[in-house]
Amino acid sequence: MARTASLSGFPEWLPQERLVELHVLDTLRKTFELHGFSSIETRAVETVGQLLRKGEIDKEVYGLSRLQDDEAPDASTLDKHDPHALALHFDLTVPFARYVVENAGYLAFPFRRYQIQKVWRGERPQEGRAREFTQADIDVVGDGELPFRYDVEIALVIAEALSALPIPDFRLRINNRKLAEGFYRGIGLTDTAGVLRSIDKLEKIGAAKVAELLKSELGASDEQAALALQLASIRTEDTSFVAQVRALGVSDDLLEEGLSELEQVIEAAVHRAPGKVIADLSIARGLDYYTGTVVETVLVGHEQLGSICSGGRYDALASKGNRTFPGVGLSIGVTRLVSRILSQELATASRSVPTAVLVALNDDQSWSAAQDVAAQLRGRGIATEVAAKAEKFGKQIKFADRRGIPFVWFTDDDGKHQVKDIRSGEQVDADPASWAPSAEDLHVRVTTT
């Protein structure tokens, strides 16, 4: 991780680091599939109009065009505001919404999907923020309606998935937009979206500056700003937040609906994922399409990294005629997680290559026989390479050691086989039809350090 990248914001891993990333991806995939989520992949490119339908992040979107376009040879004449222009997707939620609309006739609802893909975002590169990165999303989408119980389930699935990764302890910080918007409405602040955007800046600029924003940009009184900040200060590991909110003396039907929904999520988490979820009423999520549950996740002791998993409920992101497709989903920042795992040496791969065995050559004529041995081992799931040159055995062993291969296979002129563990020096008789390494050596293992 100490090397210098030739192009910042586009991380590339060394082979041993990539094995750690693959372990993270495989773990997430297995967990998602255990809960019945189907894998999809959407195209990397969307139209600008599609990408910018919700939210205001156009400055982060990478446009896409040919270097030489017959219709527009002068790149400076390209219209950046053309809704039909092409751009790389900046998240997986917006492309997924389009996918649902276009394939609604072929999907069984509620549709449970997971998606692990690259995304691109024109941000200033720093630790935890890259311009090209991998996300892992899960969503449940309904046709016309989606029971709230899926909000609870999504949070529990993510808690299980993150618990299986080689990462520090984490907390899912959960709020509800209905709760927040109902509260703001109840104290007389009608621009609830504006209040949410201001509250979303709380951790970056502090309470005093947020109060000034509320007063200068949204016309809040001192009392209204104070109440909004009091709400945002509430954090509990159980359902006691309900009483704390009611103690603020604000009444609103939407507020009550949000309180009830958040209470259900936290109550289930206390039972099924104890210590992993907290009610945090400062969580706002800046994007406009969230309508209910909202989530951000931090690593304990690594809070400065930012959220490593976020998302929530959206009731109107996707629609087709008079049909709407409400959904709830969460997105894990895989690259952000892997970057922290590697930079802090939180986990390491047991070796740098998948190969468990190198078949050595006695002479150049033995290469074909060595391939036969390798084929037998591979046929039983043992990753095997064959030496390329019949060098002295000491050099072939050093080659295996340099590659990180733990075993070297020898066959003498009489056809007798032996395998050497080059870590311990132990060498034993072996049969390519039956020998196998220990379970620990069969595959690369990723362990916490």
Side-chain angles (χ1 to χ4, degrees):
M1 291 298 293
R3 63 194 183 281
T4 301
S6 59
L7 191 60
S8 64
F10 297 85
E12 296 175 329
W13 310 127
L14 293 173
Q16 194 160 359
E17 296 169 339
R18 171 63 172 161
L19 288 169
V20 173
E21 182 182 41
L22 287 175
H23 172 77
V24 170
L25 295 173
D26 288 344
T27 300
L28 294 176
R29 177 183 55 79
K30 289 174 184 176
T31 304
F32 296 159
E33 291 183 356
L34 280 173
H35 287 268
F37 289 83
S38 299
S39 174
I40 70 165
E41 183 170 290
T42 58
R43 64 199 185 209
V45 174
E46 300 287 342
T47 64
V48 170
Q50 179 72 30
L51 288 175
L52 302 185
R53 287 189 311 122
K54 301 285 185 177
E56 298 177 356
I57 62 168
D58 53 304
K59 65 182 180 181
E60 297 180 0
V61 175
Y62 280 114
L64 191 70
S65 63
R66 290 192 299 163
L67 289 178
Q68 181 173 340
D69 191 327
D70 295 336
E71 297 180 1
D74 181 359
S76 65
T77 65
L78 294 176
D79 184 1
K80 298 178 182 178
H81 303 290
D82 177 5
H84 301 293
L86 300 181
L88 296 171
H89 57 221
F90 60 82
D91 75 353
L92 299 179
T93 303
V94 174
F96 175 55
R98 188 263 312 155
Y99 176 94
V100 169
V101 169
E102 292 182 357
N103 296 283
Y106 305 94
L107 302 175
F109 294 96
F111 177 48
R112 304 162 71 90
R113 144 287 200 181
Y114 78 89
Q115 188 172 348
I116 301 176
Q117 261 182 268
K118 296 278 191 183
V119 299
W120 295 267
R121 196 172 294 180
E123 298 190 287
R124 182 173 64 84
Q126 54 186 297
E127 186 181 10
R129 290 189 181 276
R131 291 170 172 167
E132 178 184 67
F133 53 99
T134 300
Q135 287 189 181
D137 285 21
I138 58 170
D139 288 80
V140 182
V141 172
D143 185 356
E145 63 176 4
L146 184 72
F148 175 75
R149 187 157 287 169
Y150 287 111
D151 291 43
V152 182
E153 183 183 359
I154 284 283
L156 296 178
V157 172
I158 286 293
E160 181 180 326
L162 293 176
S163 295
L165 298 180
I167 59 175
D169 198 10
F170 62 89
R171 294 292 182 273
L172 270 71
R173 304 163 63 191
I174 305 182
N175 195 8
N176 190 289
R177 291 280 278 259
K178 295 176 185 176
L179 186 165
E181 291 182 19
F183 185 89
Y184 304 148
R185 200 167 67 183
I187 62 175
L189 295 175
T190 56
D191 185 2
T192 56
V195 179
L196 283 167
R197 283 192 291 270
S198 296
I199 294 295
D200 198 33
K201 300 173 183 176
L202 191 57
E203 291 187 352
K204 292 181 179 178
I205 66 175
K209 290 185 178 179
V210 168
E212 288 302 316
L213 282 177
L214 292 173
K215 289 185 285 187
S216 64
E217 296 184 2
L218 300 168
S221 65
D222 289 341
E223 182 181 4
Q224 288 171 323
L227 282 169
L229 288 170
Q230 277 184 270
L231 180 74
S233 70
I234 295 174
R235 291 174 179 78
T236 68
E237 295 185 356
D238 53 26
T239 58
S240 61
F241 70 90
V242 177
Q244 293 185 37
V245 172
R246 291 198 172 125
L248 296 177
V250 177
S251 178
D252 183 89
D253 290 342
L254 189 62
L255 166 62
E256 289 301 319
E257 187 178 343
L259 272 174
S260 174
E261 290 184 355
L262 184 56
E263 183 178 29
Q264 291 178 60
V265 175
I266 300 302
E267 188 172 48
V270 167
H271 176 59
R272 299 196 176 275
K276 300 301 183 185
V277 174
I278 61 173
D280 185 338
L281 276 54
S282 70
I283 300 303
R285 299 295 298 145
L287 293 172
D288 294 337
Y289 52 67
Y290 294 113
T291 55
T293 302
V294 285
V295 181
E296 290 191 354
T297 310
V298 294
L299 297 179
V300 176
H302 301 261
E303 289 81 2
Q304 76 282 4
L305 184 64
S307 178
I308 52 106
C309 172
S310 57
R313 162 73 71 140
Y314 46 91
D315 287 323
L317 184 65
S319 61
K320 184 177 184 179
N322 60 0
R323 293 172 70 185
T324 59
F325 302 96
V328 60
L330 290 172
S331 176
I332 296 174
V334 174
T335 301
R336 178 174 291 192
L337 264 182
V338 172
S339 295
R340 181 50 58 108
I341 291 171
L342 296 175
S343 67
Q344 301 293 310
E345 298 181 348
L346 300 174
T348 184
S350 58
R351 57 181 186 261
S352 57
V353 293
T355 313
V357 179
L358 174 73
V359 181
L361 298 181
N362 294 341
D363 50 48
D364 287 334
Q365 286 68 44
S366 64
W367 186 84
S368 181
Q371 288 290 352
D372 292 338
V373 171
Q376 285 185 277
L377 294 174
R378 293 182 192 126
R380 294 188 294 107
I382 303 169
T384 306
E385 293 181 28
V386 175
K389 294 191 295 184
E391 299 179 300
K392 291 182 178 179
F393 285 149
K395 284 191 175 182
Q396 295 186 62
I397 291 171
K398 284 183 178 179
F399 172 80
D401 185 45
R402 192 166 63 250
R403 291 267 293 149
I405 302 171
F407 296 97
V408 177
W409 191 280
F410 301 99
T411 304
D412 64 22
D413 294 335
D414 297 326
K416 183 179 179 182
H417 302 282
Q418 289 193 322
V419 65
K420 181 184 185 73
D421 184 335
I422 65 173
R423 299 161 300 182
S424 66
E426 181 183 11
Q427 186 165 325
V428 297
D429 292 339
D431 183 345
S434 59
W435 178 88
S438 67
E440 289 189 347
D441 287 326
L442 181 59
H443 301 294
V444 175
R445 293 174 295 109
V446 174
T447 55
T448 54
T449 54

